Amino acid sequence: MNTLPLTLFWQLLRRDIQERYTGTVLGAAWLVIQPLLMLLVYALVFGEVLQLRFGEHHTDGQFAAYLFAGLMAFNALAEVVTRAPGLLVERRELLLHSALSPALLPLLPVAVSLGLEAISLGLLLVWLLIHGQWQPWGWVFYLPFVVARLLLSLALSYWLAVLGVFLRDLRQLMPPLLGVLLLISAVVYPPELVPESLKIGLLLNPVAQLVQGYRDALLEGVFRGEIWLGLMLLASGLLFAGRWLFQRLMPHVRYVL
């Protein structure tokens, strides 16, 4: 078995994470500090200052966990979507002068997003345990949604990575699009606040469904099979089409780079 591509990919992944925190005093410790700060800020601002609730029985800590669980899913997708359009251009030398298969490069932001999400998940589970919200089956019901998230992330990574070579504006377009997506996906507010006439938009929004799947599993200990199945079908179709597009356009990418 030829393990060289996997070895190269592992080295690339390590270098990518090291570059992210090069020059900082705390280095890789930011991987834990950043999500921990987010969780504490949400608890302070939304719970203590704004006194936001989603039901009369919910506490400050529960609302912070509610926000954090939604943002955990959204930020993992955002990590991939923001990096993928510039991925092949950034790794031009590696792509043209190494044995690494081009098809492995879109895996890079997905692998990074999985690592970041794993750290956030650990902090969230500790938070839930401390605040008496621990759901014994929550993490089990969460795992299928992680698979759906990874498939969807990988599909988007293939699409955006290869299209980003020809459409350089995609890289600039992603941040404002993500801002809109954040607002229409019920990430920072409960879906119950959305008017009935607009709730069809949430039902058709895969990001909103993914966020809800994370929350149902981790905070309520409930598995929404119909949501998960719909996400899996959508992600699988997008991944199949994305891989096909990637293979068709890669021969032309080398000339553009």
Side-chain angles (χ1 to χ4, degrees), residues 130-141:
I130 292 174
H131 288 81
Q133 286 181 268
W134 172 266
Q135 299 291 339
W137 290 98
W139 66 273
V140 176
F141 295 150

Side-chain angles (χ1 to χ4, degrees), residues 128 133-142 212-224:
L128 295 178
Q133 286 181 268
W134 172 266
Q135 299 291 339
W137 290 98
W139 66 273
V140 176
F141 295 150
Y142 156 81
Q212 193 59 41
Y214 271 47
R215 285 170 171 163
D216 288 339
L218 291 168
L219 306 182
E220 307 295 335
V222 174
F223 178 68
R224 304 291 186 189

Side-chain angles (χ1 to χ4, degrees), residues 20 44 50 68 111 130 160 205 247 256:
R20 183 184 290 255
L44 176 64
L50 299 180
F68 194 79
I130 292 174
L160 294 172
N205 182 343
Q247 292 174 337
V256 177

